[in-house]
Amino acid sequence: MAEPAQRILCHGVTGSGKSTLARELGSILHYPVHLVDDEFGWLPGWAQRDVTEQKALAVAAAAAPVWVFDSAYGPYRQDIVERSDLVICLDYPRAISLFRLLLRTVKRIMRRELVCNGNIETWKRTVGKKSILLWHFKSFAAKRRSMVELENRLGTDRVKRFVRPRDTKRWLAELAASQPGFGS
């Protein structure tokens, strides 16, 4: 396997596993990981950070020589894509991402896990106007189109688009095996 990319963006639909993949990549490569919901997007009380401030924070983080972003919001996605050496697209079928999202959401609610700067997901929020499930349905088709467009525009050397989780796992295992001392 060639030298790993130094600036990696994970992209995919809500619930596809971008944050998990980003953390795994960070662990394997010893890169800093930027979880955009926590770091740039949400403030306590489910207040969304001002878009201009989000973009400034994200672009500043992307100026570093090595990193993994678990996502990039629309207003600054292109800035992060331009700085990326590799974009990993998790283009899984809706059944997979929706199942993962439902499972994650229920676990977070039941365990009262802190997410996004100390916020807590609730049943009320899950079925309300700002529902993550509703967002999944609203954004699914556009995000899938954007992954294909990125692959077409940037090429397969710079964009890895996985359509099955087992292919992502296989690639990740190969990457880990290529890293000196990983897992020993």
Side-chain angles (χ1 to χ4, degrees), residues 49-84:
R49 189 183 304 272
D50 173 75
V51 173
T52 305
E53 187 180 353
Q54 285 181 40
K55 182 175 179 173
L57 291 168
V59 169
V66 296
W67 44 258
V68 179
F69 271 61
D70 76 333
S71 187
Y73 293 177
Y76 58 84
R77 182 174 300 123
Q78 191 54 42
D79 296 287
I80 307 307
V81 167
E82 288 172 7
R83 289 168 172 79
S84 299

Short mmCIF file of all heavy atoms in Angstrom, two decimals, residues 49-84:
data_model
loop_
_atom_site.label_atom_id
_atom_site.label_comp_id
_atom_site.label_asym_id
_atom_site.label_seq_id
_atom_site.Cartn_x
_atom_site.Cartn_y
_atom_site.Cartn_z
N ARG A 49 -23.70 26.77 16.04
CA ARG A 49 -22.71 27.84 15.94
C ARG A 49 -22.96 28.63 14.64
O ARG A 49 -23.37 28.06 13.63
CB ARG A 49 -21.31 27.23 15.92
CG ARG A 49 -20.18 28.24 16.02
CD ARG A 49 -18.83 27.56 15.92
NE ARG A 49 -18.60 26.51 16.89
CZ ARG A 49 -18.11 26.67 18.11
NH1 ARG A 49 -17.80 27.88 18.54
NH2 ARG A 49 -17.92 25.64 18.91
N ASP A 50 -22.67 29.91 14.68
CA ASP A 50 -22.80 30.76 13.49
C ASP A 50 -22.00 30.16 12.33
O ASP A 50 -20.86 29.71 12.52
CB ASP A 50 -22.27 32.16 13.82
CG ASP A 50 -22.22 33.06 12.62
OD1 ASP A 50 -23.28 33.53 12.18
OD2 ASP A 50 -21.09 33.25 12.08
N VAL A 51 -22.60 30.14 11.14
CA VAL A 51 -21.99 29.50 9.97
C VAL A 51 -20.62 30.11 9.63
O VAL A 51 -19.68 29.39 9.29
CB VAL A 51 -22.94 29.58 8.75
CG1 VAL A 51 -22.27 29.06 7.49
CG2 VAL A 51 -24.21 28.79 9.03
N THR A 52 -20.49 31.40 9.74
CA THR A 52 -19.21 32.06 9.45
C THR A 52 -18.14 31.59 10.42
O THR A 52 -17.00 31.31 10.03
CB THR A 52 -19.36 33.59 9.53
OG1 THR A 52 -20.41 33.99 8.64
CG2 THR A 52 -18.08 34.30 9.16
N GLU A 53 -18.50 31.46 11.69
CA GLU A 53 -17.56 30.98 12.70
C GLU A 53 -17.22 29.50 12.46
O GLU A 53 -16.06 29.09 12.59
CB GLU A 53 -18.14 31.17 14.10
CG GLU A 53 -17.16 30.86 15.20
CD GLU A 53 -17.75 31.07 16.59
OE1 GLU A 53 -18.88 31.58 16.72
OE2 GLU A 53 -17.07 30.70 17.56
N GLN A 54 -18.24 28.70 12.11
CA GLN A 54 -17.99 27.28 11.79
C GLN A 54 -16.94 27.16 10.69
O GLN A 54 -15.99 26.40 10.81
CB GLN A 54 -19.27 26.61 11.27
CG GLN A 54 -20.30 26.29 12.29
CD GLN A 54 -21.49 25.60 11.64
OE1 GLN A 54 -21.33 24.78 10.76
NE2 GLN A 54 -22.68 25.93 12.11
N LYS A 55 -17.16 27.92 9.64
CA LYS A 55 -16.25 27.84 8.49
C LYS A 55 -14.85 28.27 8.89
O LYS A 55 -13.86 27.62 8.53
CB LYS A 55 -16.77 28.70 7.34
CG LYS A 55 -15.90 28.62 6.11
CD LYS A 55 -16.50 29.38 4.94
CE LYS A 55 -15.58 29.29 3.73
NZ LYS A 55 -16.19 29.85 2.53
N ALA A 56 -14.73 29.35 9.64
CA ALA A 56 -13.41 29.83 10.07
C ALA A 56 -12.69 28.78 10.91
O ALA A 56 -11.49 28.52 10.71
CB ALA A 56 -13.55 31.15 10.84
N LEU A 57 -13.40 28.15 11.83
CA LEU A 57 -12.80 27.11 12.67
C LEU A 57 -12.37 25.90 11.84
O LEU A 57 -11.29 25.36 12.03
CB LEU A 57 -13.78 26.68 13.76
CG LEU A 57 -14.08 27.71 14.85
CD1 LEU A 57 -15.28 27.28 15.68
CD2 LEU A 57 -12.86 27.93 15.73
N ALA A 58 -13.24 25.48 10.93
CA ALA A 58 -12.93 24.30 10.11
C ALA A 58 -11.75 24.56 9.18
O ALA A 58 -10.85 23.72 9.06
CB ALA A 58 -14.16 23.90 9.30
N VAL A 59 -11.75 25.70 8.54
CA VAL A 59 -10.66 26.03 7.62
C VAL A 59 -9.34 26.16 8.38
O VAL A 59 -8.29 25.71 7.91
CB VAL A 59 -11.00 27.30 6.81
CG1 VAL A 59 -9.80 27.83 6.06
CG2 VAL A 59 -12.16 27.02 5.85
N ALA A 60 -9.37 26.72 9.59
CA ALA A 60 -8.15 26.81 10.40
C ALA A 60 -7.64 25.42 10.75
O ALA A 60 -6.44 25.15 10.67
CB ALA A 60 -8.42 27.62 11.67
N ALA A 61 -8.54 24.51 11.13
CA ALA A 61 -8.12 23.13 11.45
C ALA A 61 -7.56 22.44 10.22
O ALA A 61 -6.59 21.67 10.31
CB ALA A 61 -9.30 22.35 12.02
N ALA A 62 -8.14 22.72 9.06
CA ALA A 62 -7.70 22.08 7.81
C ALA A 62 -6.39 22.64 7.29
O ALA A 62 -5.80 22.08 6.36
CB ALA A 62 -8.79 22.22 6.75
N ALA A 63 -5.89 23.71 7.90
CA ALA A 63 -4.60 24.26 7.50
C ALA A 63 -3.43 23.43 8.05
O ALA A 63 -2.30 23.56 7.58
CB ALA A 63 -4.47 25.71 7.98
N ALA A 64 -3.72 22.56 8.99
CA ALA A 64 -2.68 21.69 9.56
C ALA A 64 -2.20 20.69 8.51
O ALA A 64 -2.92 20.37 7.57
CB ALA A 64 -3.22 20.97 10.79
N PRO A 65 -0.99 20.16 8.67
CA PRO A 65 -0.45 19.24 7.66
C PRO A 65 -1.10 17.86 7.65
O PRO A 65 -1.11 17.20 6.62
CB PRO A 65 1.03 19.14 8.02
CG PRO A 65 1.12 19.54 9.45
CD PRO A 65 -0.01 20.50 9.71
N VAL A 66 -1.61 17.39 8.79
CA VAL A 66 -2.26 16.08 8.83
C VAL A 66 -3.54 16.17 9.65
O VAL A 66 -3.59 16.89 10.66
CB VAL A 66 -1.35 14.97 9.41
CG1 VAL A 66 -0.15 14.72 8.54
CG2 VAL A 66 -0.93 15.27 10.83
N TRP A 67 -4.56 15.46 9.21
CA TRP A 67 -5.83 15.42 9.93
C TRP A 67 -6.79 14.44 9.28
O TRP A 67 -6.61 14.02 8.15
CB TRP A 67 -6.49 16.78 10.02
CG TRP A 67 -6.51 17.62 8.76
CD1 TRP A 67 -5.69 18.68 8.50
CD2 TRP A 67 -7.38 17.51 7.62
NE1 TRP A 67 -6.00 19.21 7.26
CE2 TRP A 67 -7.04 18.52 6.71
CE3 TRP A 67 -8.42 16.64 7.28
CZ2 TRP A 67 -7.68 18.68 5.48
CZ3 TRP A 67 -9.06 16.80 6.05
CH2 TRP A 67 -8.69 17.83 5.18
N VAL A 68 -7.83 14.13 10.06
CA VAL A 68 -9.00 13.40 9.57
C VAL A 68 -10.22 14.20 10.02
O VAL A 68 -10.36 14.49 11.21
CB VAL A 68 -9.08 11.97 10.14
CG1 VAL A 68 -10.32 11.25 9.61
CG2 VAL A 68 -7.83 11.16 9.82
N PHE A 69 -11.07 14.54 9.08
CA PHE A 69 -12.36 15.17 9.40
C PHE A 69 -13.42 14.09 9.25
O PHE A 69 -13.41 13.33 8.27
CB PHE A 69 -12.68 16.27 8.39
CG PHE A 69 -12.17 17.64 8.74
CD1 PHE A 69 -10.82 17.88 8.89
CD2 PHE A 69 -13.05 18.70 8.90
CE1 PHE A 69 -10.34 19.14 9.19
CE2 PHE A 69 -12.59 19.97 9.20
CZ PHE A 69 -11.23 20.20 9.35
N ASP A 70 -14.36 14.04 10.19
CA ASP A 70 -15.42 13.03 10.09
C ASP A 70 -16.55 13.48 9.17
O ASP A 70 -17.42 12.69 8.84
CB ASP A 70 -15.96 12.64 11.47
CG ASP A 70 -16.88 13.67 12.09
OD1 ASP A 70 -16.76 14.88 11.79
OD2 ASP A 70 -17.74 13.28 12.90
N SER A 71 -16.50 14.72 8.73
CA SER A 71 -17.52 15.27 7.84
C SER A 71 -17.13 16.71 7.55
O SER A 71 -16.12 17.20 8.06
CB SER A 71 -18.90 15.21 8.51
OG SER A 71 -19.91 15.59 7.61
N ALA A 72 -17.93 17.37 6.75
CA ALA A 72 -17.77 18.81 6.53
C ALA A 72 -19.14 19.34 6.12
O ALA A 72 -19.73 18.84 5.16
CB ALA A 72 -16.72 19.10 5.46
N TYR A 73 -19.64 20.30 6.85
CA TYR A 73 -20.95 20.86 6.55
C TYR A 73 -20.91 21.60 5.21
O TYR A 73 -19.86 22.11 4.81
CB TYR A 73 -21.37 21.85 7.63
CG TYR A 73 -21.67 21.27 9.00
CD1 TYR A 73 -22.01 22.10 10.04
CD2 TYR A 73 -21.62 19.90 9.27
CE1 TYR A 73 -22.29 21.62 11.31
CE2 TYR A 73 -21.90 19.40 10.53
CZ TYR A 73 -22.24 20.27 11.54
OH TYR A 73 -22.52 19.79 12.79
N GLY A 74 -22.06 21.68 4.58
CA GLY A 74 -22.19 22.29 3.25
C GLY A 74 -21.51 23.63 3.07
O GLY A 74 -20.81 23.82 2.08
N PRO A 75 -21.67 24.58 4.01
CA PRO A 75 -21.07 25.91 3.79
C PRO A 75 -19.55 25.92 3.68
O PRO A 75 -18.97 26.85 3.13
CB PRO A 75 -21.52 26.71 5.02
CG PRO A 75 -22.77 26.03 5.47
CD PRO A 75 -22.54 24.56 5.18
N TYR A 76 -18.88 24.90 4.18
CA TYR A 76 -17.42 24.86 4.07
C TYR A 76 -16.91 23.53 3.50
O TYR A 76 -15.70 23.31 3.46
CB TYR A 76 -16.74 25.18 5.41
CG TYR A 76 -17.11 24.27 6.55
CD1 TYR A 76 -16.47 23.05 6.73
CD2 TYR A 76 -18.10 24.64 7.46
CE1 TYR A 76 -16.80 22.22 7.78
CE2 TYR A 76 -18.43 23.81 8.51
CZ TYR A 76 -17.79 22.60 8.68
OH TYR A 76 -18.12 21.78 9.71
N ARG A 77 -17.80 22.68 3.04
CA ARG A 77 -17.37 21.36 2.53
C ARG A 77 -16.33 21.52 1.42
O ARG A 77 -15.32 20.83 1.41
CB ARG A 77 -18.56 20.55 2.03
CG ARG A 77 -18.12 19.15 1.55
CD ARG A 77 -19.29 18.27 1.18
NE ARG A 77 -20.15 18.08 2.34
CZ ARG A 77 -21.45 18.39 2.35
NH1 ARG A 77 -22.04 18.87 1.28
NH2 ARG A 77 -22.15 18.21 3.45
N GLN A 78 -16.58 22.41 0.47
CA GLN A 78 -15.66 22.55 -0.65
C GLN A 78 -14.26 22.97 -0.18
O GLN A 78 -13.26 22.53 -0.73
CB GLN A 78 -16.21 23.52 -1.70
CG GLN A 78 -15.44 23.52 -2.99
CD GLN A 78 -15.31 22.12 -3.61
OE1 GLN A 78 -16.25 21.33 -3.63
NE2 GLN A 78 -14.13 21.80 -4.10
N ASP A 79 -14.20 23.82 0.84
CA ASP A 79 -12.90 24.24 1.38
C ASP A 79 -12.12 23.03 1.92
O ASP A 79 -10.91 22.93 1.71
CB ASP A 79 -13.09 25.25 2.52
CG ASP A 79 -13.72 26.54 2.05
OD1 ASP A 79 -13.02 27.31 1.38
OD2 ASP A 79 -14.91 26.76 2.35
N ILE A 80 -12.82 22.14 2.59
CA ILE A 80 -12.16 20.97 3.16
C ILE A 80 -11.80 19.97 2.06
O ILE A 80 -10.72 19.39 2.06
CB ILE A 80 -13.04 20.32 4.25
CG1 ILE A 80 -13.47 21.36 5.32
CG2 ILE A 80 -12.33 19.14 4.90
CD1 ILE A 80 -12.33 22.15 5.93
N VAL A 81 -12.71 19.80 1.11
CA VAL A 81 -12.42 18.90 -0.02
C VAL A 81 -11.16 19.36 -0.75
O VAL A 81 -10.29 18.55 -1.07
CB VAL A 81 -13.62 18.83 -1.00
CG1 VAL A 81 -13.22 18.18 -2.32
CG2 VAL A 81 -14.79 18.08 -0.37
N GLU A 82 -11.05 20.65 -1.00
CA GLU A 82 -9.87 21.19 -1.71
C GLU A 82 -8.58 20.92 -0.96
O GLU A 82 -7.53 20.75 -1.58
CB GLU A 82 -10.05 22.69 -1.95
CG GLU A 82 -11.08 23.01 -3.00
CD GLU A 82 -11.38 24.50 -3.11
OE1 GLU A 82 -10.69 25.32 -2.46
OE2 GLU A 82 -12.33 24.84 -3.84
N ARG A 83 -8.63 20.89 0.36
CA ARG A 83 -7.43 20.66 1.15
C ARG A 83 -7.16 19.17 1.39
O ARG A 83 -6.11 18.79 1.89
CB ARG A 83 -7.55 21.39 2.49
CG ARG A 83 -7.45 22.90 2.34
CD ARG A 83 -7.88 23.60 3.63
NE ARG A 83 -7.63 25.02 3.60
CZ ARG A 83 -8.39 25.91 2.98
NH1 ARG A 83 -9.46 25.53 2.30
NH2 ARG A 83 -8.10 27.20 3.01
N SER A 84 -8.12 18.32 1.06
CA SER A 84 -8.00 16.88 1.31
C SER A 84 -7.11 16.20 0.28
O SER A 84 -7.16 16.53 -0.90
CB SER A 84 -9.39 16.22 1.23
OG SER A 84 -10.25 16.74 2.19
#
